[in-house]
């Protein structure tokens, strides 16, 4: 018997097991693609991660490249915490700290497919089109209500919730966006065919 549309939608947005901080205690280049298809929620609002970028302390595009500062100290560990910073003095961006303490590596969340709290996202963003709600790191932070107050918080306790993907998505790679250093590293990862990414691969 066919499922009702309501049931089908609920099944499509079913959540995997909660991700613990230990999930992030490995190479940022392993964590980043493994986050594609996972669900990120902040106070119950969020969606499926469809685009991320990896940043490693050894390359000059990473905020941690020149060592610790008051702003980036959380990047130096331990893993499994949030790092929120202001981009161009305008937008907040959220990163998930990876690797062992001292490594100072993180994954930037670039885009989500909205699944939870869409009316709240629309109110915060002042627009209706679901494809535009979270199609960029600044957009998704505005949609989820993420600010500097969310920096340095553990990712496995409220207001954050991360849930593992329930299937095996096809992940595509490309060059990172909006940087002027280490531009040749293919450390941008996305969900193949997603219409919710910030820029096509």
């Amino acid at each position: 018997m066919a499922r009702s549309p309501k049931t089908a939608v609920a099944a499509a947005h079913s959540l995997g097991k909660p991700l613990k901080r230990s999930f992030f205690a490995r190479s940022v280049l392993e964590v980043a693609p493994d986050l594609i298809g996972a669900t990120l929620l902040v106070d119950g609002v969020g969606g499926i991660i469809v685009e991320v970028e990896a940043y490693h302390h050894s390359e000059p595009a990473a905020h941690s490249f020149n060592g610790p500062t008051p702003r980036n100290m959380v990047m130096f560990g331990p893993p499994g915490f949030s790092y929120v910073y202001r981009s161009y003095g305008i937008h907040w961006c959220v990163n998930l700290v990876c690797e062992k303490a001292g490594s100072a590596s993180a994954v930037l969340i670039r885009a989500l497919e909205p699944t939870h709290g869409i009316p709240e996202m629309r109110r915060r963003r002042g627009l209706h089109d679901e494809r535009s709600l979270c199609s960029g790191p600044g957009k998704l932070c505005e949609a989820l209500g993420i600010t500097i107050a969310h920096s340095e918080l553990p990712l496995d306790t409220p207001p954050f919730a991360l849930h593992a993907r329930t299937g095996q998505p096809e992940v595509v790679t490309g060059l990172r966006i909006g940087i002027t250093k280490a531009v040749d590293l293919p450390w941008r990862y996305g969900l193949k065919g997603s219409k919710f990414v910030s820029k096509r691969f």
Side-chain angles (χ1 to χ4, degrees), residues 106-190:
V107 176
L108 170 68
I109 308 300
R110 282 202 58 90
L112 303 178
E113 176 182 342
T115 57
H116 292 69
I118 294 175
E120 181 67 11
M121 292 188 197
R122 286 174 169 154
R123 183 189 67 78
R124 289 168 172 164
R125 295 274 292 121
L127 52 82
H128 187 270
D129 182 14
E130 288 186 18
R131 289 177 297 179
S132 300
L133 290 175
C134 299
S135 57
K139 293 177 182 180
L140 73 88
C141 280
E142 184 177 30
L144 274 59
I146 296 174
T147 70
I148 194 63
H150 292 87
S151 194
E152 304 182 26
L153 298 180
L155 297 172
D156 57 356
T157 58
F160 284 102
L162 279 152
H163 295 267
R165 58 195 185 196
T166 55
Q168 188 61 44
E170 189 168 352
V171 178
V172 292
T173 62
L175 301 179
R176 294 176 298 183
I177 298 172
I179 58 175
T180 58
K181 300 175 181 178
V183 296
D184 58 331
L185 297 175
W187 288 0
R188 176 175 167 242
Y189 304 88

Side-chain angles (χ1 to χ4, degrees), residues 17-92:
K17 65 180 181 179
L19 295 178
K20 301 299 184 183
R21 275 176 262 176
S22 57
F23 173 86
F24 299 93
R26 54 202 175 106
S27 169
V28 71
L29 298 180
E30 295 176 5
V31 175
D34 284 354
L35 283 170
I36 300 300
T39 297
L40 169 64
L41 303 175
V42 179
D43 287 323
V45 177
I48 299 167
I49 299 172
V50 297
E51 183 185 358
V52 300
E53 288 177 345
Y55 288 87
H56 190 266
H57 72 275
S58 63
E59 45 91 12
H63 286 183
S64 54
F65 181 69
N66 291 319
T69 67
R71 180 177 81 154
N72 70 20
M73 184 63 72
V74 67
M75 288 186 71
F76 288 81
F81 284 78
S82 60
Y83 167 47
V84 180
Y85 67 88
R86 183 83 85 172
S87 176
Y88 300 111
I90 304 172
H91 306 293
W92 297 113

